[in-house]
Amino acid sequence: MSDLLTRTRERLRLRLPVRAAAVALVALAAVSAAAAARAPAARPAGPIPGPRAAIRIVAAENFYGDVARQLAGPAAQIISVLRNPSADPHLFEVDVPTARAVAAADLLIYNGANYDPWVGRLLAATPAPARRVIEVSALLHRQAPGINPHLWYDPATMPAVARALAAQLQQLDPANGDVYTQRLRRFLESMRPLDEQIAQLRSRYAGAAVSATEPLADYLVAAIGLQMREQRFQLSVMNGTEPGARETAAFESSLRGRQVRALIYNRQAGGSAVQRLLDIARQAHVPVVAMTETEPPDMDYQQWMLGQITALGRALSGSQP
Ligand SMILES: [Zn+2]
């Protein structure tokens, strides 16, 4: 599968920066140890270090970081690595601050399914026996090679993630066990409007055909019961390879012929082939729905997904079958 080949190539390309970051990390540790050895025995400047209260959580992706925030509360220190709304997370390269954060984390959560292969290498480069790790694809038993990695678009994912996070937090901070149980209950409750909206769209539009420029929202589209077209083209875009001429032509003619009720596109992954499809869709009056790979900085997961589901519903209602 070309998808796997590209991924392997991507992995090879990413290996160097990871090693460089790990080397830099070791160098940093050596520098600070030397500085500590030279420091006078007087009281250190700044706050006196006391017992560490905050749980340190690193989320490889900001949607998991947000759910961790909702469960862990304001006292936890949370770092989300992939959060830039104008960057393509598939092309991320590790830097030193990320390597340091992973090394110091009490709890690390990441997607897996080859979406963030840099995490596994950082975990190996910074062994920490006490660090707890949640790999979402393993949690969901979704690890088949070549699987669509955009698991957070599946409405079943975040409730399972929230349960796993709450269980880990209860072990890290048993004194506040009840608080995490309450927050989990509140989180699961807050997901209900999404399920209701999905059920409503399903009852109206199940079986309708849609298309997308990247396989970003496939799990959501499947949950609504829609048919996803042009999947080969989407894999090429996701993997950063040029889509084939035949599949591009088929995609264009299905838009011109209005064989799909909506075109979903990933605002964070573009390119000229995608832009051309958007132009054709607009000319043919096929509604275009913008979605994003990472969570926008001013929203929580529930608002973000509900907004996107609503936008898809609006597109479906406005288009002719
Ligand atoms: Zn993607």
Side-chain angles (χ1 to χ4, degrees):
M1 214 166 158
S2 69
D3 157 48
L4 280 178
L5 186 69
T6 323
R7 288 274 169 221
T8 309
R9 228 178 278 145
E10 195 167 287
R11 223 171 316 167
L12 288 173
R13 208 181 61 231
L14 285 171
R15 187 160 292 156
L16 249 179
V18 170
R19 191 171 294 157
V23 167
L25 189 67
V26 170
L28 274 171
V31 167
S32 56
R38 276 197 311 273
R43 229 182 74 191
I48 300 162
R52 190 174 54 74
I55 298 172
R56 289 169 300 193
I57 302 175
V58 173
E61 294 83 15
N62 72 346
F63 29 86
Y64 298 130
D66 171 31
V67 176
R69 164 66 66 210
Q70 295 186 43
L71 289 156
Q77 271 179 35
I78 300 178
I79 294 174
S80 289
V81 179
L82 298 177
R83 60 174 185 278
N84 182 353
S86 54
D88 181 350
H90 293 273
L91 307 176
F92 175 73
E93 293 193 6
V94 170
D95 53 15
V96 173
T98 303
R100 258 155 123 180
V102 168
D106 297 308
L107 174 58
L108 178 118
I109 178 163
Y110 72 112
N111 189 70
N114 220 0
Y115 183 71
D116 39 19
W118 50 271
V119 175
R121 292 196 298 277
L122 276 186
L123 287 174
T126 61
R131 178 175 53 205
R132 291 152 186 273
V133 176
I134 298 174
E135 181 183 358
V136 174
S137 62
L139 180 72
L140 303 173
H141 307 291
R142 287 241 174 86
Q143 294 181 293
I147 192 177
N148 183 337
H150 304 97
L151 301 170
W152 58 100
Y153 267 83
D154 187 328
T157 293
M158 283 312 184
V161 165
R163 285 190 177 93
L165 279 167
Q168 291 291 352
L169 289 165
Q170 278 166 334
Q171 287 176 32
L172 281 163
D173 179 20
N176 289 308
D178 291 349
V179 176
Y180 299 119
T181 304
Q182 281 169 25
R183 288 192 187 132
L184 174 62
R185 203 176 301 139
R186 202 188 312 148
F187 178 82
L188 296 175
E189 190 72 24
S190 73
M191 290 291 286
R192 224 187 259 169
L194 278 80
D195 293 335
E196 286 167 5
Q197 182 118 6
I198 288 168
Q200 209 177 74
L201 291 180
R202 191 181 177 92
S203 70
R204 261 181 232 167
Y205 303 112
V210 297
S211 202
T213 58
E214 203 198 313
L216 178 64
D218 285 22
Y219 293 117
L220 175 62
V221 161
I224 298 171
L226 304 171
Q227 276 179 57
M228 180 56 88
R229 306 273 299 264
E230 326 301 346
Q231 302 203 20
R232 278 180 63 88
F233 179 98
Q234 297 177 38
L235 279 178
S236 302
V237 172
M238 180 179 88
N239 293 323
T241 55
E242 198 59 40
R246 257 225 327 254
E247 48 284 341
T248 304
F251 204 147
E252 291 180 1
S253 86
S254 86
L255 290 174
R256 289 206 180 88
R258 305 187 70 192
Q259 289 161 23
V260 292
R261 301 272 303 251
L263 175 65
I264 298 167
Y265 84 100
N266 180 359
R267 217 183 293 182
Q268 278 165 266
S272 55
V274 167
Q275 192 49 53
R276 197 177 141 76
L277 290 173
L278 295 179
D279 293 343
I280 292 170
R282 288 189 181 111
Q283 280 160 20
H285 303 287
V286 172
V288 168
V289 184
M291 295 200 178
T292 60
E293 182 117 9
T294 49
E295 185 176 304
D298 52 345
M299 289 183 195
D300 64 26
Y301 175 81
Q302 297 92 316
Q303 293 166 331
W304 173 43
M305 276 298 148
L306 197 57
Q308 297 195 132
I309 297 166
T310 306
L312 179 57
R314 212 178 299 129
L316 291 167
S317 74
S319 57
Q320 299 300 315

